[in-house]
């Protein structure tokens, strides 16, 4: 809390200033030792390839294609979970000539994908199929797409337990790529999966799972100021609800429009009180409460920044547990940082090749 605003900003970005306490500097360095080096290898895309792709998606495809090239030498078929409009599938068919099934529960996105497909002329459209459905843990008609000969199973940003569902469905596949996200939506039984995880379990809860999802990299000056402003309003509102509605316990105020955080605290608080169905308060009373809690709000913000140090190690523990689970089932699996975290924070892929014949007893 004694850090200057600039040093505080540096700390939020993982940089240790000379004024930082030695213990915090050591903790920061230890957490950063968990980082994986991003190779930065990219494959160029032409003007036709990037049609329909935003900047983030273009970056992900450019970085993912070299991985697919190395992994897919003997692949003839691929399946993509949550493929949406199917841009990635379309480009894979074009560049690798794979047969491709893209699965998504959003039929509106798939209809848009079908529209794109009808207008594409630079690849064999017969090799790309859209499959409407939601991947679940129990057996379903979707299972057959994962067990075809020489199949690559792909999950780009699989939310919560969906990553584990992909692993179970893909035990008969030859290759697997998975990017996890939204770990706070993971079911408890999908945690500490491996034998190592069971013998060295983390007592996961919603807070630690949410933290694993929140690991971020560099914040520029504008982003850091916004972070301060958002947390300033949120923490003050939390203290207000705690003081005036203790019987309610911990209430989640939810995300507000960015413009609302630019307003005085009272405007934000009245909007959130309305959303939660609580009694509205006078603006003057809210502003007085806000002024009286600024020291405590800053204490919470400082603790928030220290807590964030553990985000990446927690994420990598969870991902390594999944890697070990796959290895126990005949895959050679490993972690690889593929995307730049500034553009795609959930940038670590689980990349797996089947090394042994599939054992159905596992």
């Amino acid at each position: 809390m004694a850090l200057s605003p600039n040093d505080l900003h540096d700390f939020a970005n993982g940089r240790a200033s000379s004024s930082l306490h030695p213990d915090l500097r050591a903790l920061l360095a230890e957490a950063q030792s968990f980082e994986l080096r991003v190779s930065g290898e990219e494959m160029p895309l032409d003007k036709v390839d990037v049609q329909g792709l935003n900047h983030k998606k273009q970056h992900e495809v450019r970085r993912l294609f070299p991985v697919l090239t190395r992994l897919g030498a003997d692949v003839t078929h691929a399946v993509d979970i949550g493929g949406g409009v199917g841009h990635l599938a379309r480009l894979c068919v074009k560049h690798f000539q794979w047969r491709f099934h893209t699965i998504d529960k959003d039929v509106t996105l798939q209809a848009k994908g079908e529209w794109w497909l009808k207008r594409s002329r630079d690849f064999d459209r017969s090799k790309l199929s859209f499959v409407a459905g939601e991947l679940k843990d129990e057996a379903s008609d979707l299972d057959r797409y994962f067990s075809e000969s020489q199949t690559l199973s792909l999950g780009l940003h699989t939310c919560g337990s969906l990553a584990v569902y992909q692993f179970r469905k893909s035990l008969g596949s030859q290759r697997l790529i998975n990017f996890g996200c939204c770990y706070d939506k993971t079911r408890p039984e999908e945690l500490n999966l491996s034998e190592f995880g069971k013998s060295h379990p983390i007592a996961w809860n919603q807070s630690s799972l949410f933290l694993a999802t929140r690991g971020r990299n560099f914040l520029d000056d504008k982003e850091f100021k916004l972070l301060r402003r958002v947390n300033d309003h949120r923490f003050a509102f939390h203290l207000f609800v705690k003081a005036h509605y203790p019987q309610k316990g911990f209430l989640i105020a939810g995300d507000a429009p960015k413009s609302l955080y630019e307003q005085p605290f009272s405007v934000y608080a009245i909007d959130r009180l309305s959303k939660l169905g609580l009694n509205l308060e006078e603006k003057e009373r809210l502003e007085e409460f806000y002024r009286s809690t600024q020291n405590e709000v800053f204490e919470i913000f400082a603790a928030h920044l220290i807590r964030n140090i553990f985000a990446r190690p927690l994420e990598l523990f969870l991902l390594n547990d999944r890697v070990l689970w796959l290895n126990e089932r005949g895959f050679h699996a490993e972690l690889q940082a593929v995307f730049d975290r500034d553009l795609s924070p959930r940038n670590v892929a689980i990349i797996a090749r089947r090394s042994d014949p599939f054992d159905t007893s596992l």
Side-chain angles (χ1 to χ4, degrees), residues 188-199:
E189 57 268 32
E190 314 298 356
L191 300 162
N192 300 314
L193 284 171
S194 68
E195 293 305 314
F196 180 88
K198 288 182 173 63
S199 59

Side-chain angles (χ1 to χ4, degrees), residues 59-111:
H59 170 78
E60 291 177 344
V61 171
R62 286 190 177 103
R63 291 291 179 85
L64 188 57
F65 264 39
V67 177
L68 293 173
T69 300
R70 289 191 295 272
L71 195 66
D74 55 354
V75 167
T76 59
H77 168 253
V79 56
D80 184 17
I81 301 162
V85 179
H87 289 310
L88 178 58
R90 170 174 56 87
L91 293 176
C92 285
V93 172
K94 174 183 175 181
H95 289 278
F96 303 116
Q97 288 78 53
W98 297 337
R99 290 182 300 107
F100 212 116
H101 289 92
T102 177
I103 299 172
D104 204 288
K105 64 180 180 180
D106 191 329
V107 294
T108 302
L109 286 178
Q110 292 208 319

Side-chain angles (χ1 to χ4, degrees), residues 9 191 307 327 341:
H9 185 183
L191 300 162
R307 182 191 66 166
N327 287 340
R341 288 184 69 189

Side-chain angles (χ1 to χ4, degrees), residues 96-223:
F96 303 116
Q97 288 78 53
W98 297 337
R99 290 182 300 107
F100 212 116
H101 289 92
T102 177
I103 299 172
D104 204 288
K105 64 180 180 180
D106 191 329
V107 294
T108 302
L109 286 178
Q110 292 208 319
K112 187 176 181 181
E114 295 278 9
W115 182 89
W116 271 94
L117 184 60
K118 290 177 182 177
R119 285 153 181 78
S120 299
R121 297 288 183 269
D122 57 342
F123 72 100
D124 185 351
R125 289 176 291 168
S126 67
K127 290 187 174 182
L128 175 55
S129 301
F130 289 86
V131 180
E134 182 177 1
L135 196 68
K136 296 182 178 179
D137 205 22
E138 58 268 21
S140 73
D141 291 341
L142 300 178
D143 294 7
R144 57 194 173 95
Y145 297 113
F146 295 87
S147 57
E148 290 191 30
S149 176
Q150 303 305 103
T151 291
L152 182 144
S153 170
L154 177 62
L156 184 58
H157 305 313
T158 49
C159 188
S161 294
L162 182 59
V164 182
Y165 301 165
Q166 180 195 357
F167 299 157
R168 292 200 176 109
K169 300 295 185 187
S170 305
L171 288 177
S173 301
Q174 296 299 311
R175 304 287 186 266
L176 181 148
I177 299 178
N178 174 270
F179 291 83
C181 69
C182 304
Y183 307 121
D184 54 313
K185 297 180 181 179
T186 307
R187 298 191 306 179
E189 57 268 32
E190 314 298 356
L191 300 162
N192 300 314
L193 284 171
S194 68
E195 293 305 314
F196 180 88
K198 288 182 173 63
S199 59
H200 301 80
I202 282 184
W204 293 101
N205 57 30
Q206 283 302 108
S207 296
S208 54
L209 287 168
F210 181 75
L211 180 57
T213 306
R214 296 294 293 174
R216 59 166 65 93
N217 203 14
F218 180 79
L219 294 171
D220 62 26
D221 187 60
K222 182 179 179 181
E223 291 167 333

Side-chain angles (χ1 to χ4, degrees), residues 290-319:
Y290 174 74
R291 289 189 293 270
S292 70
T293 56
Q294 281 302 284
N295 286 339
E296 190 173 359
V297 166
F298 185 52
E299 287 179 356
I300 297 172
F301 182 69
H304 178 76
L305 293 182
I306 294 171
R307 182 191 66 166
N308 282 347
I309 295 174
F310 296 93
R312 192 61 155 184
L314 283 171
E315 179 181 16
L316 292 181
F317 184 97
L318 187 151
L319 294 179

Side-chain angles (χ1 to χ4, degrees), residues 329-349:
R329 282 150 183 79
F331 282 96
H332 173 72
E334 59 187 8
L335 297 182
Q336 182 178 332
V338 179
F339 311 136
D340 286 342
R341 288 184 69 189
D342 294 345
L343 288 172
S344 188
R346 308 277 65 78
N347 69 330
V348 177

Side-chain angles (χ1 to χ4, degrees), residues 13-27:
N13 280 331
R15 295 194 293 257
S17 64
S18 58
S19 57
L20 188 65
H21 191 284
D23 288 350
L24 270 180
R25 189 180 298 113
L27 177 62

